[in-house]
Amino acid sequence: DTGVSQDPRHKITKRGQNVTFRCDPISEHNRLYWYRQTLGQGPEFLTYFQNEAQLEKSRLLSDRFSAERPKGSFSTLEIQRTEQGDSAMYLCASSLGPYNEQFFGPGTRLTVL
Amino acid sequence: DQQVKQNSPSLSVQEGRISILNCDYTNSMFDYFLWYKKYPAEGPTFLISISSIKDKNEDGRFTVFLNKSAKHLSLHIVPSQPGDSAVYFCAASGEIQGAQKLVFGQGTRLTINP
C-alpha cells in the first residue's frame, strides 16, 4: 500500500491527557499537511511542512498543539492537555507540490471524554 | 468567514441521471480548485481539479466547470451510479499569504437512488 497512512485510527482519551498521532505520507511527496474535520464541516487546515520545515500554522493551532516532521518523512501531531473541543477527525495529506492534488490518509478520530 | 461555500447540504438523484454539485467562493486569489469525495470512516479521495486558466476539465464521467466571473464551480457526474453516493467537498487553493493550503466547503451529501 503506497497511500498515506495514519496511526492510530481511533483514540479515546480523558480531558487533560496528552495524545500523539502519526502520519506517514506517500514516500516521494515533500509536502505534508494536517487538517481537522468536525461533524458537518469540511476539513480545516492546521499546518503544513515542506520537507522538514513547518511553513505555516493556522490560528486554529493553539499552543497546546505541536507538529513535527523530523527528517522530512513521517510527521507527528501532539495535543497537550486535551479538551472536549479537540474531539474531531484529524486528517493528514501529502502532495508533490503546491499545484498537485493532496492525497489524504484515513484520519485519526479523537474523542475526548 | 466561509471562503468556500456549498449551499446544498444534500442532493438526491436517480441512477443514470446527471448529478450537479455546486460550489461558490469569495476570494479572487484562489486559482486552483479541486473536488473530493468522502465515504464514512475514510479520508477524502481526490476526484478532479481545475486551474483558473481553464473553464472546463473532464475525466470520464466527471466534469468540472469554472466560472471565474461568478466565482462559481460545479461538478457534473453523468451518468450517476449508486457507488457515487458519498459526501462531496469542493476545495480551493492559491498563493494566499504564501500558503498552498486547501480551503474546503462544508460538503454536499449525494445520494443516488436506484
Side-chain angles (χ1 to χ4, degrees), chain A residues 33-59:
Chain A
Y33 309 80
W34 285 99
Y35 292 83
R36 180 171 72 185
Q37 185 177 18
T38 54
L39 197 62
Q41 299 297 316
E44 294 177 289
F45 170 80
L46 292 178
T47 188
Y48 93 98
F49 294 82
Q50 182 169 330
N51 300 312
E52 65 274 10
Q54 187 173 17
L55 296 186
E56 186 178 347
K57 292 193 291 186
S58 163
R59 56 183 169 80

Side-chain angles (χ1 to χ4, degrees), chain A residues 9 31 33 35 37 40-45 48 56 89 91 98-107, chain B residues 2 31-32 34 36 38 41-44 46 89 93-102 104-106:
Chain A
R9 293 291 305 274
R31 289 185 178 232
Y33 309 80
Y35 292 83
Q37 185 177 18
Q41 299 297 316
E44 294 177 289
F45 170 80
Y48 93 98
E56 186 178 347
M89 174 75 82
L91 293 161
Y99 287 100
N100 297 97
E101 57 269 25
Q102 294 181 19
F103 292 87
F104 282 81
Chain B
Q2 190 73 30
D31 57 6
Y32 182 55
L34 308 90
Y36 284 84
K38 189 177 184 305
E42 294 183 11
F46 169 74
F89 292 98
S93 166
E95 283 289 344
I96 303 167
Q97 299 172 350
Q100 294 299 321
K101 65 192 179 198
L102 295 179
F104 283 84
Q106 309 96 308

Side-chain angles (χ1 to χ4, degrees), chain B residues 17-21 47 61-63 75-81 84 88 110:
Chain B
R17 306 296 289 269
I18 184 171
S19 296
I20 300 176
L21 296 102
L47 274 177
R61 297 186 297 114
F62 302 93
T63 303
L75 174 69
H76 293 210
I77 306 172
V78 57
S80 301
Q81 299 174 354
D84 296 330
Y88 288 77
L110 175 65

Side-chain angles (χ1 to χ4, degrees), chain B residues 12-30:
Chain B
S12 185
V13 174
Q14 194 169 0
E15 181 179 0
R17 306 296 289 269
I18 184 171
S19 296
I20 300 176
L21 296 102
N22 294 303
C23 178
D24 298 293
Y25 62 96
T26 57
N27 194 325
S28 58
M29 297 299 290
F30 288 139

